Amino acid sequence: MNKKVRWGVLSTAKIGLTQVIPAMQQGQYSEVVAIASANAEKVTEAAARLGIAQIFNSYEDLLASPDVDAIYNPLPNHLHVPYTIKALQAGKHVLCEKPIGLNPAEAQQLIDAAAQYPHLKVMEAFMYRFHPQWQKAKEIVADGLLGEVKYIHTDFSYHNIDPANIRNKPEVGGGALMDIGCYCISFPRFIWGQEPQRVVGLVHRDAEFGTDTLTTGLLDFGDGRQASLSCSTRMEPFQRAAIGGDKGRLEIEIPVNAPADVPVKLYLQRNREIEEIIIPAYNQYTLQGDAISEAIINNTAAPTPLADALGNMRVIDALVSSAKQGIWMSV
Ligand SMILES: NC(=O)c1ccc[n+]([C@@H]2O[C@H](COP(=O)([O-])OP(=O)(O)OC[C@H]3O[C@@H](n4cnc5c(N)ncnc54)[C@H](OP(=O)(O)O)[C@@H]3O)[C@@H](O)[C@H]2O)c1
C-alpha cells in the first residue's frame, strides 16, 4: 500500500466538491486521484479546478480502476448502500456519506456484504466525531464535570424549497430526519455510547414534496436519561446541541458544521457561571479522511463501525413508525 490512500469519488456531489475533496487533499494519509460522473462538462471542470488527475464517465469504470484504493460515496441516500456494496465487490474500501442507507434492512444488507470482505474498511461519514470539540465534550462528560448527564437536546434546521434538491425528494431518501436528524440522533448515542430503548416522533410532511419538513423526537435512554431533537428543512438556519447534567450544562455552539478556519466555542455552565471553552479551528473532513486512511494503511478497524450506522438507522426508522402510528416505538 502506498503511503497515501488513493481515493476515487463517485459523482460531482456538492459536498464532495466544496468540502470533502479539498479537505482530504490536505490530508497526511489521503490523496484524491479520480472522480466519476456522467456529466462530462461538470466533472471535467471539477477535476481541473481541484487538480484531480483522472476522470471517469461512469461510476462503474471508476470502481474498476486498479489505480484507486478507496471510494468516497456522496451519492444521494438511496444509492449509498448499492454503490458501497459495488465498491466492496470491486475490492475498494469505502467512506460513505450519512445516513448509511434508507432503512435498517438496507444497513444490515451492507453489514452482511462487508462481512464477506473483512480486509476492506467501510465507514459512515459522521465527520463531526473527528472534530476535537466533540472529543472535548466527551471528556467533560467522562470527567464528571456535568455530574450525571440527564438530557441531550439538539436543534438543527435550514431553509430549502428547491424541488430539484435531493433533500426535497422522498424517492432518493430526502427529508429533514434523514438529512440532518441523523446527526441529532447520533449525538446522544455518541455521548452515552448506548442505544435508546424507545422513541416517540412527531412528523410534519410537505404536501407537495412528501418529505418531512419538521420532525421532533424524544429518545428514552433509560435511567431517567432523555434526548430530544427538532430538525427542519423549512426554518431559519440554526444548529445547537446541549448536554445537561445535575451539576452542569454544556452547550456546543456549532455541533455539525464547525468551520475549518474559525475557532469554535463550547459553553460550560457550572454553579451558574459560564466558562467559554475555545477550540482551535480544525477541518473535520481532513481529520475524518486521515482517520479512515490510517485505518486502511495500518489494517486496523475503521474508526466508527458499521454497527453504529445501523443503530442510527434503527432510531430514524422507529421515529418515523412512531409518528405514523402515534405510539412509542421500541428500538
Ligand atoms: N457530511 C456532510 O457534511 C454532508 C453535507 C452535505 C451532504 N451530505 C451527504 O452527501 C450526500 C450528497 O449530498 P449533496 O447535497 O452534496 O448532493 P448533490 O449535490 O445533490 O449531489 C448528488 C450527486 O449524486 C449524483 N446522482 C446520481 N444519481 C442521482 C439522482 N438520482 N439524483 C440526484 N443526484 C444523483 C449526481 O452527480 P453526478 O451527476 O456527478 O453523477 C449528483 O450531483 C447526501 O447523502 C448527503 O446526506 C453530507
Side-chain angles (χ1 to χ4, degrees):
M1 171 73 65
N2 300 337
K3 193 164 164 272
K4 286 191 174 188
V5 174
R6 301 170 301 172
W7 287 88
V9 179
L10 297 182
S11 88
T12 59
K14 186 175 171 196
I15 183 63
L17 300 191
T18 59
Q19 301 285 345
V20 178
I21 295 171
M24 288 179 76
Q25 287 174 324
Q26 292 168 26
Q28 203 181 335
Y29 302 108
S30 314
E31 61 181 325
V32 179
V33 298
I35 182 165
S37 170
N39 186 332
E41 196 181 330
K42 206 172 168 194
V43 75
T44 304
E45 186 280 322
R49 182 164 40 84
L50 293 166
I52 301 172
Q54 214 173 356
I55 294 171
F56 292 93
N57 295 121
S58 86
Y59 304 150
E60 277 71 14
D61 287 350
L62 188 153
L63 294 182
S65 169
D67 301 325
V68 169
D69 307 311
I71 300 296
Y72 169 55
N73 178 356
L75 292 171
N77 300 337
H78 72 305
L79 297 177
H80 285 179
V81 167
Y83 273 93
T84 297
I85 291 179
K86 283 185 192 207
L88 290 169
Q89 288 167 341
K92 313 297 187 199
H93 308 273
V94 187
L95 174 65
C96 180
E97 270 307 337
K98 41 53 65 176
I100 199 69
L102 295 178
N103 51 51
E106 247 205 340
Q108 186 61 54
Q109 193 193 345
L110 176 57
I111 288 178
D112 294 344
Q116 294 173 43
Y117 306 95
H119 59 294
L120 296 176
K121 317 296 169 196
V122 191
M123 188 174 82
E124 183 181 32
F126 268 133
M127 73 300 178
Y128 82 87
R129 292 187 172 203
F130 299 90
H131 198 290
Q133 70 172 347
W134 275 100
Q135 276 126 38
K136 184 70 182 171
K138 261 206 138 171
E139 189 184 301
I140 286 170
V141 169
D143 289 348
L145 295 184
L146 308 182
E148 275 189 52
V149 172
K150 292 297 185 186
Y151 74 76
I152 299 176
H153 177 73
T154 310
D155 280 318
F156 196 179
S157 57
Y158 55 76
H159 199 275
N160 185 324
I161 53 165
D162 175 7
N165 193 284
I166 55 171
R167 288 154 189 81
N168 291 322
K169 295 181 175 184
E171 67 276 16
V172 303
L177 187 58
M178 288 286 277
D179 190 46
I180 49 179
C182 61
Y183 291 104
C184 313
I185 291 167
S186 183
F187 294 162
R189 295 179 54 255
F190 179 61
I191 289 293
W192 277 317
Q194 284 178 0
E195 301 299 336
Q197 297 169 354
R198 56 178 194 152
V199 304
V200 67
L202 188 58
V203 169
H204 177 77
R205 284 186 193 280
D206 181 88
E208 189 189 338
F209 296 152
T211 48
D212 64 311
T213 52
L214 174 60
T215 291
T216 294
L218 290 177
L219 283 52
D220 180 357
F221 279 80
D223 298 326
R225 294 172 306 162
Q226 306 175 1
S228 54
L229 63 100
S230 279
C231 58
S232 176
T233 57
R234 294 290 170 79
M235 308 263 277
E236 172 72 9
F238 183 76
Q239 55 185 271
R240 186 83 27 105
I243 305 174
D246 56 1
K247 294 201 173 70
R249 182 177 189 281
L250 184 71
E251 202 162 294
I252 302 171
E253 191 174 48
I254 312 177
V256 179
N257 302 112
D261 51 353
V262 181
V264 289
K265 281 185 197 161
L266 309 184
Y267 300 94
L268 174 61
Q269 178 173 338
R270 283 155 47 86
N271 302 318
R272 299 186 185 193
E273 284 188 13
I274 298 177
E275 177 193 346
E276 273 186 22
I277 301 171
I278 312 281
I279 310 284
Y282 285 94
N283 189 322
Q284 55 191 345
Y285 299 103
T286 304
L287 297 175
Q288 168 182 258
D290 268 351
I292 180 78
S293 289
E294 262 200 286
I296 291 169
I297 291 165
N298 299 326
N299 193 21
T300 53
T304 312
L306 274 181
D308 182 84
L310 172 61
N312 227 54
M313 210 74 248
R314 282 190 175 131
V315 180
I316 293 176
D317 204 54
L319 282 169
V320 173
S321 299
S322 160
K324 268 192 197 140
Q325 299 176 48
I327 55 171
W328 282 90
M329 292 296 296
S330 56
V331 178

